[in-house]
Amino acid sequence: MIYHKGYKLLKPVKTNAPHRESSNEKCMRRILPLATFLLLACTLFLLTTEASALIQNEYLGDITVTVEGATRTKERFIESLAEKCLKKKEYRSWETVNTKALSQCLSNSRLFKNVEVTVGTAELKVTVAERWTLIPVPYFYSSNDKRAAGLYVFESNFLGYGKTVSAGGAVSTDGNRFSLMYMDPAINYSNHTLSVMAYRSNAEVDAYVKRDIVDGFNKNETGVFLSTGYKITPSLELSLNVGYGDRSYEQLDSFAIPEEYQAASVGARGSYHNADYKLFYNDGLSGSISWLSQVHRSDGKEKLSQGTASIQWDISLLELHVLQLGFHGAIQSDNGIRGDLGMHGGARGYRGIEPNGLWTRRIITVSADYQIPVARTGHGTFTVAPFVDYGEYKPVYAGIGSNYTAYGIGGYYFVNLINLPGVGIAIGRNAEFMGNFVTVQIGMGFK
């Protein structure tokens, strides 16, 4: 059955009948206290395991680090960054130490708007100008007939130790979402990493053939996710992931409802990051590959497995012109229910597709953006960027194709004063889905 967005049936009116707690709400009561406990435990661990400030290097010996300009960031944390940067660059003698490269390496933390490093005899002097990192980050997305807006409180330098904490949510024309997250990129200044996230969402999801909806339902999801990893090298990290989720569904018009269930999953992820942060791009190569499999599923159906891969390569050309190449892929086993299908749209590689509007079990996309800086202010940079996306996927519904192309141009503003994502507008065309489209994104919605 196909119907157009403008002719949807009215949803049933709510009654005053006594409220019955759903399985989703019961799961939320169990998950949120657990997630809060994990976040508090991480904070206490952080505060009670202060390490020695002694900086050492295999080839350079004992090093004295002097820090200036830091008011919110702990000096010990900056010293640990300097220690890891010296190791990453593999300097064998003080004569080979490149202060410009060290400054860039420290800037890659994204906590400072400016870093200067000077070298003495067995001594480093680090002068920083800090960004403001505790900020309310807006979320705004608008694309044709879909809108979303919200607010996240985001701290990327928690207690001055470079940890990240965020909490917030968003409401949209299709539902709402709330999440709570903690991320530690260096537990006790070591190579061990940790991230914890709890979330709850209630959203209408629609599958599209061009601009027509061919399937849909209201999807309620509550979950908690934990990842613990280890950096084998400064650029390569391996992590183990575990998660638990509760999914339930409500009927949307005359479409069938998937069966609700709870599931526990385990998986692994490998990530590589060898790129320098340059405000409106990351100079270099980064990527990740992950696999997640269900080990428990309450509905008795065969357990689902799925994998994702992503590569981003930013290449500096001419006078700070930047070619940004992207690759994204996703695959899952064929045994899942309709509600398990991968849902894509909106981001790079999927532009010109409504958010969650393309449902498939297998997809590969490539994207290219050519960023051209056109103006600089005291606090940021304006750019324009022609773009093109191409994707191939396994179709699920009759009448849908197996590939698409999107192209257009975007305009963006990237802020340097605070650790805040950019503001952007993109105008383009995707003949296989939205046709002509205009997308506006701000803050956390910016991609």
Side-chain angles (χ1 to χ4, degrees), residues 8 58 74 106 124 141 143-144 157 177 214 217 223 261-262 292 302 316 326 344 349 356 380-381 414-415 438 447:
K8 295 168 64 174
E58 180 181 359
K74 301 297 184 182
L106 289 165
L124 290 179
Y141 180 92
S143 178
N144 287 11
N157 192 14
R177 178 180 176 89
V214 296
F217 42 78
Y261 71 92
Q262 300 82 44
L292 194 67
E302 189 177 349
S316 180
H344 311 276
N356 298 317
T381 300
F414 299 86
V415 185
V438 177
K447 298 179 180 179

Side-chain angles (χ1 to χ4, degrees), residues 1-8 143-147 204 206-215 255 352-354 357-358 393 399-401 428-439:
M1 178 177 182
I2 296 177
Y3 70 101
H4 192 271
K5 186 75 172 179
Y7 298 94
K8 295 168 64 174
S143 178
N144 287 11
D145 59 349
K146 292 201 173 185
R147 307 285 187 276
E204 175 188 323
D206 303 308
Y208 285 81
V209 171
K210 293 189 180 294
R211 299 176 68 89
D212 295 321
I213 297 174
V214 296
D215 199 356
F255 298 123
I353 303 174
E354 293 282 7
L358 171 56
Y393 56 93
I400 193 172
R429 179 171 177 77
N430 185 329
E432 295 300 318
F433 286 90
M434 293 171 62
N436 297 328
F437 65 89
V438 177
T439 301

Side-chain angles (χ1 to χ4, degrees), residues 97-100 102-104 106 115-119 124-127:
V97 174
N98 186 321
T99 56
K100 184 177 180 180
L102 278 181
S103 298
Q104 176 63 65
L106 289 165
V115 179
E116 292 184 3
V117 177
T118 57
V119 177
L124 290 179
K125 180 181 178 181
V126 181
T127 304

Side-chain angles (χ1 to χ4, degrees), residues 161-272:
Y161 291 95
K163 321 304 180 184
T164 298
V165 177
S166 73
V171 296
S172 72
T173 52
D174 300 322
N176 56 73
R177 178 180 176 89
F178 170 82
S179 66
L180 180 67
M181 185 268 290
Y182 172 85
M183 183 175 66
D184 189 340
I187 299 175
N188 196 25
Y189 312 110
S190 71
N191 291 325
H192 294 276
T193 66
L194 174 70
S195 64
V196 183
M197 182 176 70
Y199 62 92
R200 182 180 185 182
S201 64
N202 173 278
E204 175 188 323
V205 290
D206 303 308
Y208 285 81
V209 171
K210 293 189 180 294
R211 299 176 68 89
D212 295 321
I213 297 174
V214 296
D215 199 356
F217 42 78
N218 288 318
K219 181 179 180 181
N220 306 310
E221 186 169 10
T222 304
V224 62
F225 188 83
L226 183 145
S227 175
T228 178
Y230 184 81
K231 291 184 178 179
I232 298 176
T233 72
S235 300
L236 179 63
E237 177 184 347
L238 298 180
S239 60
L240 174 66
N241 307 322
V242 295
Y244 178 82
D246 183 315
R247 289 184 178 182
S248 63
Y249 307 89
E250 299 172 0
Q251 188 168 16
L252 178 64
D253 300 283
S254 58
F255 298 123
I257 309 174
E259 182 179 349
E260 66 178 52
Y261 71 92
Q262 300 82 44
S265 302
V266 299
R269 182 176 185 266
S271 60
Y272 177 83

Side-chain angles (χ1 to χ4, degrees), residues 237-401:
E237 177 184 347
L238 298 180
S239 60
L240 174 66
N241 307 322
V242 295
Y244 178 82
D246 183 315
R247 289 184 178 182
S248 63
Y249 307 89
E250 299 172 0
Q251 188 168 16
L252 178 64
D253 300 283
S254 58
F255 298 123
I257 309 174
E259 182 179 349
E260 66 178 52
Y261 71 92
Q262 300 82 44
S265 302
V266 299
R269 182 176 185 266
S271 60
Y272 177 83
H273 184 85
N274 188 19
D276 289 330
Y277 173 62
K278 300 288 188 179
L279 185 60
F280 67 91
Y281 70 102
N282 293 292
D283 189 11
L285 180 68
S286 60
S288 66
I289 184 170
S290 64
W291 186 259
L292 194 67
S293 295
Q294 293 176 345
V295 293
H296 164 74
R297 184 170 177 138
S298 64
D299 62 2
K301 292 184 169 57
E302 189 177 349
K303 300 175 182 66
L304 181 73
S305 297
Q306 53 192 346
T308 61
S310 177
I311 296 174
Q312 183 70 35
W313 187 18
D314 292 4
I315 308 167
S316 180
L317 303 170
L318 302 176
E319 296 181 359
L320 288 181
H321 290 200
V322 179
L323 176 63
Q324 298 177 305
L325 302 175
F327 165 85
H328 304 278
I331 186 172
Q332 62 179 217
S333 52
D334 293 326
N335 52 284
I337 62 176
R338 282 169 44 244
D340 292 327
L341 286 168
M343 300 176 183
H344 311 276
R348 282 184 181 176
Y350 311 97
R351 284 171 286 204
I353 303 174
E354 293 282 7
N356 298 317
L358 171 56
W359 296 10
T360 182
R361 298 192 186 280
R362 293 173 179 83
I363 188 168
I364 295 176
T365 74
V366 292
S367 64
D369 295 66
Y370 191 75
Q371 291 278 0
I372 305 170
V374 294
R376 288 184 174 85
T377 69
H379 303 306
T381 300
F382 288 93
T383 71
V384 295
F387 67 83
V388 61
D389 293 344
Y390 177 77
E392 290 193 357
Y393 56 93
K394 181 179 180 181
V396 174
Y397 302 98
I400 193 172

